[in-house]
Amino acid sequence: MTLASGRPTFSIHTYGCQMNVRDSGVLARRLVAAGYSEAASEDAADIVVVNSCSVREKAEDKAIGKLLMLCAARRDRPGLVVGLTGCMANRLGDGVFKKVPGLSFSFGPRAGAVLPQLVERALAGEAQMWVPDPERAGEGASENGVSAGDGRGREGDAARSGRPLAQSFVTILYGCNQRCSYCIVPFVRGREESRDPGVIVEEVREEARRGARDVCLLGQSVMRYGKMGFKWPDSIPSPMGFTEPLPRLLELVAREVPEVRRLRFTSGHPLGVTDELVRAMREIPAVCAHLHLPMQSGSDRILRQMRRGYDSSRYLEAVRMLREGVPDIAITTDVIVGYPGETADDFEATRRIMEEAAFDNAFVFKYSPRPGTDSALVEDDVPDGEKCRRDQVLLADQDARGQRLNDRWIGRNVEVLVDGPSLRNASRWSGRTEQNKIVVFDPVDGMNAGDFAFVSIEGARPQTLFGTVAR
Ligand code: SAH
Ligand code: SF4
Ligand code: F3S
């Protein structure tokens, strides 16, 4: 491979959740700041970093397969640097070099600052370097990576992966201290750690400077923001009279970064849905009428075994508070099918509660035992065929429900943040409503991605609205 044509180029391949998407963006900026540039495609890159997910076995299988393929590609691309980060990096530690001997380096998701150094050493020929997460991510440390005002535009963002530029993420809470029986995240993302509000504001401002108009604040259990080893600084008042950290943070970010017209936060938890949070969602104009509130199951018996900390009636109570307090709110969820011991009755309870909660959208996952978790100690006794069947049933239910709920938008005028050409049909454009619903429409002259526009809704499908730009 020849590097003579210019600076070495990189590509980052991202699996997993929005937190990984955020981390990949930050890693890319770190590399750009260190003098590397983003490759036009992964095939053309000198350095490929895989940002991995461990949440289900399949996610890990994909990442391992990808790494092996990349290392094999060295036959044609000698000198290709292949690195790993993300949750699987933490789960496997230096054990990953047994599975993927050709790997240049691996580092934990909170150790991203070392990436430029690892790349430099790898380009010089070093291999199999492993850097674990630091004990604490470092109070006050910003993830901006590139100093503000460098004028370099958006290189190194997820732009090429097709993610809309106007929508962005900022992590506000690292790790997770809950111990849901099935979940690997606490093992691979470490202890819960709330980030400093001043640093968060600075990072949101940086996203706005890069064009973001919709920012989602991230935490695995985001409503735990500010609950552990943290005191909201006395120097930051709450004119709206909030006392809880998350409402205060939403108020602060909305006030300090008005360019961000839409603020979201995810993932929610029913026990975190307080009167004050509902008031924040209603009264802070930038905070969107949208919440992702994973339910996991509608069976009280299964919820207890999952150690989720709520039962179905507490969950529905949170939904009621949100619907009463936040006009037009869209609520989406995650559900696991085939948890060990899940009976036909448990499953029917899930179907029933999903209908009662009237979810706008639902992500359904087939249970996958994860090493080291408590539920992996009991038999994974729901056969795969039955998991698939339950998955299909919930998706069909959700389609019918989504159609019903989306039909209610027909005839209304909604404001969308324009994403640009739609993925399915480039002659039509798409955008998102405050509820995060996708709207497809014909673009009008002078319209650009990142604009806000009003669209009058004329048609609906379970996951999409269709309309005409209003003048
Ligand atoms: N922090 C989020 C969830 C992060 S993982 C929360 O608590 O809501 C995203 C989703 O993956 C979870 O909501 C759950 O539905 C699913 N999931 C987690 N572990 C899983 C497992 N072992 N098997 C199948 N799905 C799982
Ligand atoms: Fe996993 Fe539960 Fe933490 Fe979510 S809250 S990341 S499901 S342990
Ligand atoms: Fe996966 Fe890690 Fe996110 S396990 S879902 S990438 S926190």
Side-chain angles (χ1 to χ4, degrees):
M1 173 175 44
T2 139
L3 302 180
S5 54
R7 301 178 298 177
T9 61
F10 68 88
S11 175
I12 301 180
H13 193 92
T14 309
Y15 297 101
C17 64
Q18 291 152 329
M19 214 168 261
N20 271 12
V21 174
R22 164 67 183 172
D23 289 350
S24 289
V26 172
L27 292 174
R29 289 178 201 174
R30 290 190 194 285
L31 288 177
V32 169
Y36 303 96
S37 58
E38 189 162 4
S41 74
E42 191 177 293
D43 292 340
D46 305 306
I47 304 144
V48 180
V49 180
V50 172
N51 193 356
S52 61
C53 170
S54 285
V55 79
R56 284 167 291 276
E57 193 178 359
K58 258 212 185 106
E60 288 205 352
D61 291 347
K62 275 193 210 155
I64 293 282
K66 180 88 185 167
L67 292 169
L68 290 171
M69 201 195 71
L70 286 165
C71 291
R74 280 220 190 87
R75 275 196 301 266
D76 304 319
R77 297 157 73 186
L80 174 66
V81 168
V82 182
L84 171 68
T85 185
C87 293
M88 191 180 75
N90 261 356
R91 199 178 78 72
L92 298 178
D94 58 3
V96 73
F97 301 126
K98 284 207 197 79
K99 286 179 188 270
V100 191
L103 206 54
S104 312
F105 57 79
S106 177
F107 61 98
R110 293 198 207 182
V114 303
L115 177 60
Q117 203 190 324
L118 286 172
V119 165
E120 196 182 318
R121 288 166 61 185
L123 287 168
E126 271 187 74
Q128 299 200 346
M129 296 171 274
W130 159 238
V131 182
D133 280 345
E135 275 300 301
R136 282 173 73 85
E139 205 57 66
S142 170
E143 291 182 347
N144 280 346
V146 186
S147 62
D150 70 336
R152 259 195 279 233
R154 298 191 58 95
E155 307 113 297
D157 265 316
R160 290 202 180 86
S161 62
R163 192 167 64 74
L165 300 178
Q167 207 170 27
S168 194
F169 307 103
V170 167
T171 302
I172 67 168
L173 182 76
Y174 293 128
C176 184
N177 279 6
Q178 323 264 90
R179 279 284 187 274
C180 303
S181 62
Y182 51 84
C183 185
I184 193 103
V185 171
F187 299 87
V188 291
R189 283 278 167 171
R191 308 283 301 165
E192 196 175 286
E193 186 185 336
S194 296
R195 303 187 66 217
D196 175 74
V199 173
I200 292 167
V201 166
E202 184 195 318
E203 290 184 13
V204 175
R205 201 172 272 138
E206 169 73 5
E207 294 310 302
R209 197 185 64 76
R210 290 171 170 265
R213 295 294 170 262
D214 178 325
V215 171
C216 185
L217 306 178
L218 302 178
Q220 288 300 337
S221 201
V222 77
M223 291 164 181
R224 300 266 318 148
Y225 178 75
K227 301 265 164 154
M228 279 265 303
F230 178 92
K231 192 179 170 302
W232 184 270
D234 291 333
S235 55
I236 308 179
S238 168
M240 296 179 77
F242 294 126
T243 59
E244 297 170 11
L246 184 56
R248 294 189 84 158
L249 181 71
L250 292 166
E251 180 189 12
L252 177 73
V253 173
R255 184 175 68 227
E256 293 292 318
V257 199
E259 300 85 349
V260 171
R261 294 257 313 270
R262 290 179 172 176
L263 260 185
R264 309 173 193 275
F265 49 98
T266 202
S267 287
H269 188 285
L271 299 187
V273 178
T274 61
D275 289 331
E276 201 171 272
L277 185 67
V278 170
R279 177 162 81 85
M281 294 184 78
R282 182 178 59 240
E283 292 181 2
I284 304 171
V287 176
C288 292
H290 164 221
L291 187 64
H292 187 62
L293 195 67
M295 180 176 91
Q296 313 302 1
S297 171
S299 153
D300 292 340
R301 196 178 71 82
I302 296 290
L303 284 170
R304 210 164 34 243
Q305 286 177 18
M306 287 178 162
R307 284 202 307 271
R308 288 290 291 177
Y310 54 85
D311 60 12
S312 57
S313 60
R314 182 67 187 80
Y315 185 90
L316 288 172
E317 169 64 10
V319 169
R320 188 193 59 76
M321 288 167 71
L322 289 161
R323 294 219 188 272
E324 279 177 10
V326 188
D328 283 333
I329 190 170
I331 302 176
T332 55
T333 202
D334 290 344
V335 171
I336 297 175
V337 290
Y339 185 82
E342 186 186 67
T343 63
D345 283 352
D346 293 320
F347 177 65
E348 286 307 318
T350 298
R351 289 185 74 186
R352 208 166 48 240
I353 304 291
M354 287 179 82
E355 191 55 34
E356 256 182 79
F359 293 120
D360 286 85
N361 204 353
F363 300 88
V364 182
F365 302 104
K366 292 188 282 171
Y367 171 73
S368 165
R370 307 307 295 127
T373 61
D374 285 353
S375 69
L377 299 173
V378 290
E379 195 195 341
D380 177 17
D381 59 356
V382 179
D384 194 54
E386 181 58 19
K387 285 180 188 167
C388 288
R389 195 191 67 82
R390 292 179 187 178
D391 180 28
Q392 292 304 314
V393 170
L394 293 189
L395 291 180
D397 286 356
Q398 184 57 48
D399 260 9
R401 190 162 44 235
Q403 183 70 57
R404 203 180 70 227
L405 293 173
N406 279 353
D407 280 345
R408 293 201 210 155
W409 287 92
I410 294 176
R412 291 181 67 176
N413 229 357
V414 297
E415 192 176 32
V416 302
L417 174 54
V418 176
D419 285 342
S422 95
L423 287 178
R424 292 236 178 103
N425 173 356
S427 70
R428 307 209 74 195
W429 281 31
S430 69
R432 277 167 196 273
T433 70
E434 178 187 346
Q435 287 74 17
N436 218 30
K437 289 186 186 279
I438 296 170
V439 182
V440 174
F441 49 86
D442 287 326
V444 294
D445 283 349
M447 182 180 257
N448 289 303
D451 289 351
F452 283 90
F454 280 93
V455 175
S456 102
I457 302 301
E458 290 147 358
R461 282 212 215 115
Q463 309 233 24
T464 319
L465 300 171
F466 300 86
T468 304
V469 177
R471 301 192 172 254

